[in-house]
């Protein structure tokens, strides 16, 4: 299996959460060194994929101002990342989708290519980033034709990404050389800490 090239991949930034640990603030629009976290992610992903989609359930106009299509959850009740993934897959026009969360602004510049190489080498449906023993299920490259299975899983009450992955042919992709690239910013304290240390990255 030949690894998918960038033009065959759509990037999806998952910014549809409620930001409870951030005090109800829209995490994707939180400022990190003068730029929103979504802008940091878009800049890193743009060279790696053919097109980009943003999943957001509030501040649609602000997100649309970044120049990419914005899709909201189609499943009611804030069903978490899987609902955003479902909306992104429904809007995806390429054979593959690369999903990333809006609170990981330091993702590696070779994220897509490494996930694609792993997915192809194992002839898998999904490749998931892993650092050490920690799996990052929301950072994943998957075949867009897995949408019907995801919809069936969600409609049956499924809400956890890890549980859905177990239904598929999935493979972990190691990023042990750059674990810091997968740092999440979930709280105001974490945001302040990364403000101070970002210049060294």
């Amino acid at each position: 299996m030949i690894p998918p090239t960038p033009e065959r991949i759509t990037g999806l930034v998952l910014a549809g959460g409620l930001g409870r640990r951030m005090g109800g603030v829209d995490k994707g629009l939180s400022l990190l060194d003068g730029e929103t976290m979504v802008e940091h992610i878009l800049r890193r992903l743009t060279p790696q994929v053919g097109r980009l989609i943003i999943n957001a359930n509030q501040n649609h106009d602000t997100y649309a101002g970044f120049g990419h299509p914005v899709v909201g959850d189609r499943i009611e009740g804030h069903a978490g990342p899987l609902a955003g993934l479902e909306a992104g897959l429904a809007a995806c026009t390429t054979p593959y989708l690369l999903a990333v969360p809006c609170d990981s602004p330091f993702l590696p510049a070779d994220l897509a290519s490494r996930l694609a190489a792993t997915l192809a080498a194992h002839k898998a449906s999904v490749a998931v980033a892993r650092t050490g023993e920690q799996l990052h299920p929301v950072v994943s490259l998957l075949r867009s034709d897995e949408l019907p299975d995801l919809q069936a899983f969600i409609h049956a009450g499924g809400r956890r990404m890890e549980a859905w992955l177990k239904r598929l042919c999935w493979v972990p992709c190691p990023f042990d050389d750059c674990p810091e690239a997968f740092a999440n910013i979930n709280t105001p304290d974490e945001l302040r800490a990364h403000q101070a240390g970002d210049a060294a990255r």
Side-chain angles (χ1 to χ4, degrees), residues 28 30-46 66 102 104-107 195 198:
S30 297
L31 292 178
L32 175 66
D33 292 340
E35 280 189 315
T36 63
M37 286 206 281
V38 161
E39 286 176 288
H40 283 274
I41 292 170
L42 292 174
R43 187 172 62 252
R44 288 171 182 266
L45 286 190
T46 296
F66 297 126
C102 71
S104 296
F106 311 116
L107 293 170
Q195 300 274 17
D198 189 58

Side-chain angles (χ1 to χ4, degrees), residues 98-101 104 107 111 115 127-129 136-141 161 182:
L98 171 62
V100 301
S104 296
L107 293 170
L111 176 67
L115 287 170
V128 182
H136 304 277
V138 181
V139 183
S140 57
L141 177 69
M161 183 79 171
F182 295 86

Side-chain angles (χ1 to χ4, degrees), residues 9 38 53 59 79 95-96 163-164 174 190:
I9 302 173
V38 161
I53 298 172
N59 300 310
Y96 297 90
W164 180 55
E190 289 174 354

Side-chain angles (χ1 to χ4, degrees), residues 1 4 11 15 42 51 77 79 85 90 93 103 105 133 135 147 153 159 193 199:
M1 179 179 174
L42 292 174
R51 65 188 296 256
L85 185 61
T93 57
D103 57 9
E133 297 301 315
L135 199 65
L147 175 60
F153 177 75
R159 292 294 182 267

